[in-house]
Amino acid sequence: AGQDDTVCSGDGIYTLSGFSFDSLALWHGKGVRGTYGLQYFDPDSLQLTDGEGIVLYFEADSNGCLNRDTMILTVNLTPDVDAGQYDTLCLNSDPVTLIGKPTNGNWTGVGIENNIFYPGDAGDGMHVLIYKAVNKHCNAEDTAIIIVHPVPDSSIRFERDTLFVTAGYTDY
């Protein structure tokens, strides 16, 4: 029937093979779909807990003989990841602690250090931040976008009894 294996929820179908072709050969078990010779396992068709194993049975009936074998597929749940939403910032804004779900994930992107986003380090513009979480070998990711606006240019100068103040900025 083949070697035991591990699959992730959300990965789609798992093609069942590992036997010499016999038109009467069939796989049996929870989550098995398809017909003779074209069968697959669909982990998303079942309500499973993380790490639950499914035993699949193979029977080949050739010339009146019955042969059985088993294969265990362990289904690990792919994390349901949410990067969240964040406010627009200015280049001189305070750093923002990034919080994703589940909490055991990691952030990557420009201006991120130890799950904290530093707008001054990132620079002005739109920043796509990636949050990735892993459960055993199953991983998923989500993105968050933070827009950082530049700080207005301003200057003050004195000339005799007159005060000049100029301010400008760039819109996005």
Side-chain angles (χ1 to χ4, degrees):
Q3 293 184 357
D4 294 348
D5 205 353
T6 301
V7 297
C8 299
S9 64
D11 280 354
I13 63 172
Y14 180 95
T15 302
L16 297 169
S17 59
F19 57 89
S20 59
F21 186 77
D22 183 328
S23 63
L24 299 175
L26 278 176
W27 288 90
H28 299 277
K30 294 190 315 184
V32 174
R33 305 283 186 261
T35 60
Y36 296 104
L38 300 170
Q39 290 184 283
Y40 60 91
F41 172 71
D42 182 2
D44 295 327
S45 69
L46 307 170
Q47 297 294 323
L48 301 173
T49 59
D50 189 46
E52 185 173 346
I54 300 296
V55 179
L56 304 172
Y57 299 94
F58 171 70
E59 298 178 2
D61 186 5
S62 177
N63 299 319
C65 298
L66 184 63
N67 188 16
R68 293 176 189 232
D69 197 358
T70 62
M71 179 173 68
I72 298 174
L73 284 177
T74 301
V75 180
N76 291 322
L77 301 179
T78 301
D80 184 16
V81 178
D82 183 7
Q85 295 181 346
Y86 298 90
D87 294 331
T88 298
L89 302 173
C90 293
L91 200 57
N92 61 352
S93 293
D94 290 334
V96 174
T97 299
L98 302 171
I99 300 173
K101 294 178 184 173
T103 58
N104 65 338
N106 291 307
W107 287 94
T108 58
V110 176
I112 297 174
E113 186 176 324
N114 296 322
N115 295 336
I116 298 175
F117 179 74
Y118 294 89
D121 292 345
D124 61 13
M126 182 176 76
H127 299 278
V128 178
L129 312 178
I130 300 170
Y131 185 68
K132 182 177 181 179
V134 178
N135 176 28
K136 299 174 179 105
H137 75 281
C138 305
N139 59 61
E141 62 184 43
D142 191 22
T143 58
I145 295 175
I146 295 182
I147 296 174
V148 178
H149 290 290
V151 177
D153 294 327
S154 60
S155 63
I156 299 175
R157 65 184 168 94
F158 294 95
E159 287 184 16
R160 296 195 180 221
D161 295 330
T162 307
L163 170 66
F164 294 94
V165 177
T166 58
Y169 62 92
T170 305
D171 285 331
Y172 282 93

